[in-house]
Amino acid sequence: MSSKRVSRDRSAVTYAELEANSTVHNVEVLVDEMSVFPQISLRPEVTEHLKTIFLNKELLAAVGHHEAEHRFQKLLACLSHPPSYTCVRASTHLAPLEEIRHRLEEELKKMCSSPSEEVSLQILPHPRLPDVLLLPVDGPRPVKQLSSEVVVGAQCGTAVLRGAHVFAPGILASPKYMKVGDVISVFSDLEGKCTRGSLSFQGKTAYLGNGVAEMDRSSIFCSDEPVRGVGVRMTEPLYQSPSFDGVLPNLVFLQNLPSVVVGHVLGPRPGERILDMCAAPGGKTCHIAALMGDQGEVVALERIRNKIDRIRQNAQTLNLSCIKTYCFNSTKAVSSDPTQETEGPPFPPESFDRVLLDAPCSGLGQRPNMASTWSLKEICSYQPLQRKLFHAAVRLLKKGGVLVYSTCTVTLAENEEQVAWALDAFPCLTLQPQEPHIGAEGMLGAGLSPEQLRLLQRFSPELSWEQTDPTTTPLPCRADGDTIGFFIAKFLKN
Ligand SMILES: C[S@@+](CC[C@H](N)C(=O)[O-])C[C@H]1O[C@@H](n2cnc3c(N)ncnc32)[C@H](O)[C@@H]1O
């Protein structure tokens, strides 16, 4: 099984050393030295495309070739690694943050397998987000590969790196005689080439740690029923973070930090009518409703029917009743008859106080992501759809209302270029300051002015992925930089 891993002392390479090495080759080598996993594997044409973005003329003129190349190499490296903390959003509409923190601590302590694990358990409030708790991830840890191996799909692998156990549907290959109680190493199939039911796999994989089988091979692959439940319980994960499966489901919700920032930037108030145009699975929808104290109306639209139930389940679990969910294509959400008043979509123009367009996007900011087989055509296919959605968003927003546009990707075309286009296409829109603004400013390259860039919020993990010493850098400071790649723009309709 091909695998390049495991823990090296990442602090051995300092920023100063990186700076001192001016050739591109050395930058690549040093960034790679800091990594447990290889850089994200993309199709060559996609890597080249991203490189033209991160080494664009405006940026090169501002920071120089070496710094731009360094940032780009770090981006490719940090994308394949998980952020160094876990972020949970607390249901502060149901209980005070401190009470939720305390209850979470009690629950997680029960799950610890040793007193030292209990002592190292930290749950910290975020200094600027009143509903966020942060938990440091312990990793990479020095774990040893075993001879017996299970291979899981990339999506399952991502979840394991963020603290989950291995759910049986994610298992692709296992030893012929694997039985309950076997101790086994877990690998992620990086290129989607492992066939379900295989006995072994020779393709590219990444080692995720060790666990104990909770099912035997035949229960996983030979059952007539769709297989469910934990297949391998992770006992020695490479990156250790609590598994939140079933833990205080109404009080804590796993959510990436930038996604929580979106809700606050939108700033919904009790009694307002809010539209969430691309809502599933409903993390931001529920946050908006919670921020409104469940008073008012949050309309959640989602085009894919089988994702609708997730939004409803999440709303129900979090005790939120002001959310109305519809399966609908949001590009068609503006009614052609403005006098027509119906409860559901399409809606007359100017129906909403605030609109969230958390757009479908190329998702290139997601972490950890060790490999993507997407073509350049697929990566570039989102800009037109996002613009159609934007047209509908502007029409549905009341005058004086707020529109927030967000993506979880790193391209200019889906982020700063969309802002430049929108400001040109809709003279009624002006960019607004964001609160909180804990990410970086917008990226150069789309012709926006420095003032405009300062109003944008881009979470750029490559700017801070230095593997800072966890003992000296407080967690909330690290957490604000070591996020998924994300983008937020806030507009006012005049
Ligand atoms: C980035 S995800 C949204 C995540 C969600 N806001 C959250 O925080 O949980 C984008 C969603 O938009 C949906 N979508 C894509 N095109 C759409 C359209 N034309 N109308 C409505 N939803 C759409 C996708 O199916 C996907 O579920």
Side-chain angles (χ1 to χ4, degrees):
M1 194 172 286
S2 83
S3 49
K4 174 197 166 203
R5 47 208 74 114
V6 112
S7 333
R8 295 183 220 145
D9 179 6
R10 291 201 247 158
S11 59
V13 182
T14 63
Y15 192 73
E17 279 177 272
L18 281 166
E19 288 291 282
N21 283 273
S22 55
T23 66
V24 168
H25 175 72
N26 279 341
V27 168
E28 280 175 24
V29 170
L30 283 168
V31 170
D32 196 45
E33 278 300 305
M34 292 159 52
S35 307
V36 179
F37 301 123
Q39 292 188 339
I40 182 173
S41 153
L42 301 165
R43 288 200 187 179
E45 88 249 27
V46 174
T47 309
E48 268 318 297
H49 174 71
L50 284 181
K51 191 165 178 172
T52 59
I53 297 169
F54 280 79
L55 274 73
N56 75 66
K57 273 192 197 150
E58 268 189 79
L59 200 59
L60 288 180
V63 304
H65 193 279
H66 174 250
E67 175 59 18
E69 176 72 40
H70 177 209
R71 286 183 191 178
F72 178 58
Q73 293 302 331
K74 277 207 299 173
L75 173 73
L76 298 181
C78 74
L79 287 179
S80 57
H81 294 74
S84 59
Y85 64 92
T86 299
C87 174
V88 294
R89 180 163 60 72
S91 297
T92 46
H93 63 291
L94 299 178
L97 185 72
E98 187 45 34
E99 184 187 323
I100 297 174
R101 196 192 73 74
H102 180 71
R103 287 186 59 187
L104 183 60
E105 192 173 54
E106 294 300 303
E107 287 299 310
L108 295 181
K109 272 185 182 165
K110 284 187 217 157
M111 290 159 54
C112 288
S113 51
S114 67
S116 65
E117 225 182 280
E118 262 189 52
V119 171
S120 64
L121 182 69
Q122 270 189 75
I123 308 176
L124 301 171
H126 189 283
R128 292 189 55 193
L129 292 160
D131 49 5
V132 164
L133 295 170
L134 298 167
L135 293 87
V137 171
D138 177 16
R141 301 156 76 234
V143 280
K144 274 211 175 117
Q145 289 176 37
L146 310 166
S147 56
S148 205
E149 297 170 353
V150 148
V151 179
V152 302
Q155 212 183 341
C156 175
T158 296
V160 170
L161 284 173
R162 298 203 75 171
H165 295 294
V166 176
F167 279 74
I171 300 178
L172 299 174
S174 83
K176 192 167 183 180
Y177 299 109
M178 185 173 88
K179 54 184 189 323
V180 177
D182 284 357
V183 182
I184 197 144
S185 281
V186 178
F187 292 83
S188 178
D189 168 20
L190 292 187
E191 296 176 323
K193 290 190 174 160
C194 182
T195 327
R196 195 176 145 74
S198 303
L199 293 170
S200 64
F201 178 61
Q202 300 307 317
K204 256 194 180 173
T205 58
Y207 173 54
L208 308 178
N210 304 327
V212 176
E214 293 212 340
M215 289 185 186
D216 55 26
R217 182 183 161 86
S218 61
S219 319
I220 296 170
F221 297 123
C222 307
S223 162
D224 292 338
E225 301 288 301
V227 60
R228 285 159 191 258
V230 173
V232 177
R233 189 160 296 277
M234 296 302 293
T235 48
E236 291 184 305
L238 188 61
Y239 284 87
Q240 182 150 42
S241 170
S243 159
F244 282 85
D245 189 32
V247 177
L248 301 179
N250 61 338
L251 291 182
V252 295
F253 189 90
L254 270 178
Q255 199 165 23
N256 286 303
L257 185 71
S259 295
V260 185
V261 172
V262 169
H264 290 284
V265 168
L266 185 68
R269 299 195 189 133
E272 287 185 334
R273 190 169 191 225
I274 314 279
L275 175 64
D276 184 353
M277 296 181 79
C278 299
K284 296 185 192 73
T285 318
C286 291
H287 189 203
I288 293 166
L291 289 171
M292 294 162 68
D294 206 22
Q295 314 256 311
E297 188 181 7
V298 183
V299 174
L301 302 185
E302 167 57 48
R303 199 186 52 166
I304 298 179
R305 184 163 298 280
N306 62 15
K307 292 187 177 182
I308 295 288
D309 278 351
R310 271 301 293 285
I311 309 175
R312 293 194 177 134
Q313 274 164 17
N314 281 329
Q316 199 180 10
T317 307
L318 296 170
N319 248 340
L320 295 161
S321 55
C322 76
I323 297 170
K324 294 213 168 86
T325 307
Y326 302 95
C327 180
F328 203 78
N329 178 352
S330 288
T331 63
K332 305 206 162 103
V334 191
S335 166
S336 51
D337 173 6
T339 57
Q340 184 196 335
E341 279 286 348
T342 54
E343 202 187 277
F347 302 101
E350 303 189 0
S351 288
F352 295 93
D353 298 298
R354 293 169 206 262
V355 175
L356 172 61
L357 173 48
D358 184 39
C361 70
S362 56
L364 285 169
Q366 289 295 351
R367 294 174 61 197
N369 181 7
M370 293 189 206
S372 161
T373 54
W374 279 24
S375 67
L376 186 54
K377 199 172 161 198
E378 284 168 298
I379 301 280
C380 296
S381 67
Y382 287 90
Q383 198 191 57
L385 170 62
Q386 291 160 351
R387 288 188 181 180
K388 277 191 192 163
L389 289 162
F390 211 105
H391 267 284
V394 176
R395 292 193 63 200
L396 289 168
L397 186 62
K398 288 182 188 168
K399 290 199 182 78
V402 166
L403 165 61
V404 168
Y405 173 83
S406 57
T407 75
C408 60
T409 197
V410 299
T411 66
L412 277 173
E414 297 169 80
N415 296 328
E416 288 81 355
E417 277 182 22
Q418 295 295 53
V419 171
W421 164 82
L423 292 173
D424 193 42
F426 306 101
C428 59
L429 293 184
T430 48
L431 274 178
Q432 295 297 300
Q434 301 184 30
E435 181 51 42
H437 196 303
I438 60 177
E441 58 187 50
M443 193 165 89
L444 284 161
L448 293 169
S449 69
E451 294 71 36
Q452 289 170 325
L453 290 176
R454 273 197 286 277
L455 293 170
L456 303 177
Q457 185 157 205
R458 188 184 252 261
F459 288 85
S460 305
E462 73 278 9
L463 297 181
S464 64
W465 202 66
E466 297 302 353
Q467 302 308 294
T468 38
D469 182 351
T471 54
T472 55
T473 314
L475 178 66
C477 303
R478 269 186 292 143
D480 288 351
D482 194 0
T483 60
I484 62 166
F486 205 90
F487 179 83
I488 310 174
K490 177 177 181 177
F491 301 88
L492 183 73
K493 182 173 171 181
N494 302 297

